[in-house]
Amino acid sequence: MTSVDSLSRWIYVAFALFLLLLLGLTGVTARGCRRDDPRRVITVWHPFRPPERALLEEEIRQFEQLHPDIHIRGLYKDIEELRSAFQAAALAGSGPDLVYGPSDVLDTYQSMGIVQDMGPWFTDDMRAEFIKGALTFLPNKDDPTQTDLVQVGDRFGTHLALVYNRRFIKEPPKTTDELVALAKANTLGARSGNRKERYGLVWNFNEPYFAIPFLTGYGAWVFVEPMGSGNTSRPIPALNTPQSVAAYQFLKQLHDVDQVVPANCDYELADTLFKTGRAAMIINGDWSWSDYLNDSDIDAVVAPLPMVSATGQPMRSMIAPKGFTLNANSSPENASAAMAFVRHMIAPDAQRRIVERLREIPVLRSIYSESLATADPTYQTSQKVLDVGRMMPVMTELRAVWDAMRPNYQAVMGGNMSPEDAAAQMQREALRKIELMHRKIEPAQGQAIVQIGGLCLLAAWLAWQRKNFRRFYLEWPRNRVAYWFLLPALITIFAVIVFPFFYNIAISFSDMSLVRFKNWRIVGFQNYAEVFSDWNLWMVFVNTILWTVVNVSAQVGVGLLLAVALNGPVRGKSLYRVLLIIPWAIPTYITALTWRGMFDYEYGAVNLLLERAAEFAPIAWLLNVAHLTPPVNWLGEPLRAFEACVVANVWLGFPFMMVIALGGMQGISSEFYEAARIDRASRWQQFWHITLPLLRPVLLPAITLGAIWTFNSLNVIWLVSNGGEPQDATHILVSYVYRSVFNLYRYSYGAALSMVIFVFLAIFSVIFLQRRRALDNVYG
């Protein structure tokens, strides 16, 4: 071995030791304890807000003082991220020991077989200490005659109440008639344009969850009762009833006739209006009350929701216990340590601190009895809500019900559907989605074809690459150091690209779903057959093509225009370049949410500009011809919401096209333009016959990338239109895949659809790259 090879090897060894040391230090920091720390580490995933998180950290410190051999590691995750990440981690045989959250997802966890029975740690006497509903039992996945304790709650929450500003309203309404009267009295006239100075009542009427108190007040509910027992009986939706229609009619009257609520009011708008004193009342959940009560600019008070005057029934909010669930992958030793921490969190002292610090309802009967004497008005309101509230169904089918309700409920509030038609459509969609959620795919004749075909493709690939394998075998002794340096990159590429890609192909031919989460099997081409026979999917596909063509065309057009302008003799060219690159440099998340705020119906900057422009007669005429008479309900109408998403995406994409075009222009020889000027060619002729043809080899790859990015642009659709709203009319294929997979747990269907998208984009890219090579031959 030469001295150079020896030196290279020692360099590699030193580099590897440095990496190991760095990873070791990182691991020590991530775990929060030393590598040689003998304590058992228990990981808890939670969605706690800052006040809740502070209390959790305090409880962890107290627990660790009592149990010095155990270290509790809390990790914050957003509620939706927590659910999806836990499912993915549990499928891989890992994940946290404990998961904290509300009870609505427990049936999903149990159906997937990713949670343990917590019953052995709680005797009958201990269970008797809990308030009804605090412990969640579900039928055993393998033996429906047995029940498992799948969650131990430490508090009740997620309920809605009425928060009013005492500067405008002295006493809360007792009935809906009083509610409407107070709302009308506190809805002040237009300050400018169509905007009101103050609204009487606001709430997030884009989400059907906030309509539940109105439904219950009219005697409606989401499922038929009594519901079946056992995991073989599915709940039946009860969305098309006279009671639910009456509730939607009342809500529609509040919006259309009484006009006491703003148009297209989402959660952020309602929250902002109330905090800024431009709303007298708001309907919101317990997670938001502390923000209002601690805001010195408003005099907020929390009160129970009023009784419905037409029925004499109270508006009942959904109540759910929030607590801990034990991972099925947790070892017996870790499970025992984790359950010790759970018992600490439901101990009397910890329950008292939950009442005192967070003003939330405890789960122990004794502590709840003590808390009845508290003088805190907010806590008293929570008690009243709990007394009349209804427990949230612990059923996976509730996810399908929300999905069925949301677009039709938005159509009612947007004036595009009558309450009767909406209720009927909700029922049909809920039944269809529940059927899809539980669909079992049986292996077909194509199963053998898929398996044999996969083996044949693998054998063909090995035969095709046999020379490369032989070359690697022969060169390995001479280039070991080079291959060792290359190995980390190869492992990373295989782990994050190659393996997930082929794993996704396998899933696309399987029956992986809610009912077969871990024990999925190859079943054939049924998923692909369903993809190509789904009429709704084809409509979304056409929408995606339109979305891509419009966006890329506008991005290229605006980018070319600005590139031509900056390529000329412009003063301050460097400053303009920096300013025009900012939309591309700012994170997409921030830009998309900013555009969503700018497109707000009453307070957005876009409508404000349109109103100012409409003061001039010629511009007003043009706006009227374009059906843009202000104010425009950008986010409340399907076509306008699509246009808003296009504007936001073009804003994000034109700097990339501008930079590419500008770089290409600066590479074009000035001799072409000098010859054109001698021939008296106009500026347009120079652009059309010189600039554009010579830019095509540069622009075609950029257009290909832009088309792929736009085709898969989930962020803009999800953030600007809030996940395909209104009425699921702004979906593109990637957002449709997301809904299909994560809302209805149709993993194999989503994998098949993603492979169809991949093949389509691959064909598109090949065609454009071939076009580029042809142009290179012409212009090169």
Side-chain angles (χ1 to χ4, degrees), residues 201-212:
L201 177 66
V202 293
W203 78 90
N204 178 17
F205 59 68
N206 284 337
E207 280 297 325
Y209 178 80
F210 287 80
I212 292 298

Side-chain angles (χ1 to χ4, degrees), residues 709-719 732 734-736 738:
W709 291 340
T710 304
F711 199 92
N712 291 320
S713 182
L714 175 65
N715 289 342
V716 174
I717 290 291
W718 205 260
L719 295 174
I732 59 176
V734 288
S735 60
Y736 188 84
Y738 186 88

Side-chain angles (χ1 to χ4, degrees), residues 148-169:
D148 294 340
L149 176 58
V150 295
Q151 186 188 68
V152 176
D154 69 337
R155 70 198 74 172
F156 287 94
T158 71
H159 47 283
L160 303 175
L162 182 72
V163 187
Y164 65 95
N165 191 337
R166 201 153 39 187
R167 296 178 181 177
F168 309 127
I169 296 174

Side-chain angles (χ1 to χ4, degrees), residues 12-183:
Y12 173 76
V13 171
F15 181 69
L17 290 175
F18 172 75
L19 286 179
L20 290 174
L21 177 62
L22 182 63
L23 290 173
L25 292 175
T26 305
V28 170
T29 304
R31 286 189 297 272
C33 55
R34 300 186 309 273
R35 177 177 292 275
D36 58 349
D37 194 328
R39 295 184 297 174
R40 182 172 299 279
V41 178
I42 303 299
T43 305
V44 182
W45 286 2
H46 63 83
F48 286 149
R49 297 174 293 113
E52 297 173 308
R53 205 176 309 167
L55 180 60
L56 174 66
E57 292 171 356
E58 180 181 320
E59 297 298 335
I60 288 176
R61 287 193 295 269
Q62 293 189 18
F63 175 80
E64 290 180 347
Q65 290 177 357
L66 298 173
H67 301 80
D69 58 330
I70 301 175
H71 171 62
I72 304 297
R73 177 173 174 257
L75 181 62
Y76 169 82
K77 286 183 178 292
D78 179 76
I79 187 67
E80 288 299 325
E81 179 192 2
L82 186 151
R83 294 174 179 179
S84 58
F86 175 59
Q87 292 170 17
L91 175 63
S94 60
D97 299 287
L98 291 171
V99 176
Y100 188 95
S103 62
D104 60 325
V105 76
L106 295 177
D107 190 34
T108 301
Y109 292 164
Q110 181 74 343
S111 299
M112 293 177 174
I114 59 177
V115 293
Q116 281 191 55
D117 179 20
M118 306 167 78
W121 285 275
F122 289 88
T123 64
D124 291 340
D125 292 338
M126 296 172 64
R127 297 179 186 185
E129 297 177 4
F130 287 84
I131 297 174
K132 182 179 180 181
L135 301 178
T136 303
F137 296 88
L138 288 175
N140 183 276
K141 188 175 183 294
D142 300 319
D143 185 5
T145 62
Q146 303 295 321
T147 58
D148 294 340
L149 176 58
V150 295
Q151 186 188 68
V152 176
D154 69 337
R155 70 198 74 172
F156 287 94
T158 71
H159 47 283
L160 303 175
L162 182 72
V163 187
Y164 65 95
N165 191 337
R166 201 153 39 187
R167 296 178 181 177
F168 309 127
I169 296 174
K170 300 305 179 184
E171 294 294 333
K174 304 300 182 184
T175 65
T176 52
D177 287 345
E178 294 181 13
L179 176 72
V180 173
L182 286 172

Side-chain angles (χ1 to χ4, degrees), residues 25-26 130 292 356 368-369 400 520 591 697:
L25 292 175
T26 305
F130 287 84
Y292 303 142
E356 296 168 0
Y368 180 74
S369 299
W520 55 272
T591 303

Side-chain angles (χ1 to χ4, degrees), residues 421-440:
D421 293 340
Q425 183 66 16
M426 288 179 190
Q427 183 72 11
R428 288 193 294 267
E429 283 295 306
L431 291 172
R432 185 182 70 85
K433 291 178 182 293
I434 290 174
E435 180 63 29
L436 291 174
M437 183 182 291
H438 291 278
R439 177 177 295 177
K440 294 183 179 179

Side-chain angles (χ1 to χ4, degrees), residues 335-569:
S336 297
M339 293 308 300
F341 178 68
V342 172
R343 288 196 296 268
H344 171 83
M345 292 300 296
I346 52 93
D349 289 342
Q351 290 283 283
R352 291 189 183 96
R353 287 188 285 270
I354 289 175
V355 175
E356 296 168 0
R357 298 271 296 275
L358 303 178
R359 290 182 286 194
E360 294 189 296
I361 304 296
V363 295
L364 296 183
R365 296 180 184 273
S366 57
I367 307 303
Y368 180 74
S369 299
E370 291 179 10
S371 67
L372 293 176
T374 182
D376 185 274
T378 303
Y379 184 78
Q380 290 178 347
T381 297
S382 285
Q383 288 178 332
K384 294 176 182 177
V385 174
L386 180 64
D387 290 339
V388 301
R390 299 203 59 173
M391 295 298 297
M392 180 182 295
V394 187
M395 298 173 181
T396 304
E397 292 80 4
L398 185 61
R399 195 94 169 186
V401 168
W402 294 136
D403 269 12
M405 292 180 68
R406 186 175 295 108
N408 298 290
Y409 172 62
Q410 292 170 1
V412 171
M413 301 304 289
N416 298 320
M417 187 179 290
S418 68
E420 294 81 5
D421 293 340
Q425 183 66 16
M426 288 179 190
Q427 183 72 11
R428 288 193 294 267
E429 283 295 306
L431 291 172
R432 185 182 70 85
K433 291 178 182 293
I434 290 174
E435 180 63 29
L436 291 174
M437 183 182 291
H438 291 278
R439 177 177 295 177
K440 294 183 179 179
I441 306 175
E442 296 299 329
Q445 295 179 350
Q447 173 193 11
I449 298 176
V450 171
Q451 294 174 341
I452 295 173
L455 292 175
C456 291
L457 288 175
L458 177 61
W461 180 79
L462 292 174
W464 180 39
Q465 296 293 326
R466 64 185 185 279
K467 293 183 179 179
N468 291 330
F469 288 127
R470 185 173 182 273
R471 187 181 300 117
F472 171 77
Y473 178 76
L474 295 175
E475 292 182 357
W476 164 257
R478 297 194 299 268
N479 299 287
R480 289 184 179 179
V481 174
Y483 283 118
W484 277 114
F485 274 108
L486 187 62
L487 184 61
L490 292 176
I491 294 175
T492 302
I493 291 173
F494 179 82
V496 302
I497 298 177
V498 178
F499 175 76
F501 177 76
F502 286 100
Y503 187 72
N504 188 77
I505 293 177
I507 291 176
S508 69
F509 290 102
S510 74
D511 61 347
M512 186 179 185
S513 63
L514 174 68
V515 294
R516 297 189 70 90
F517 184 65
K518 287 187 173 182
N519 56 342
W520 55 272
R521 55 193 175 173
I522 300 298
V523 294
F525 295 91
Q526 290 96 316
N527 292 311
Y528 288 94
E530 187 175 354
V531 165
F532 288 107
S533 62
D534 188 347
W535 173 252
N536 292 330
L537 178 62
W538 285 105
M539 297 297 294
V540 175
F541 177 76
V542 173
N543 197 45
T544 308
I545 295 296
L546 178 63
W547 158 263
T548 305
V549 171
V550 171
N551 274 284
V552 175
S553 300
Q555 289 171 0
V556 173
V558 175
L560 273 176
L561 178 65
L562 293 173
V564 170
L566 291 176
N567 196 46

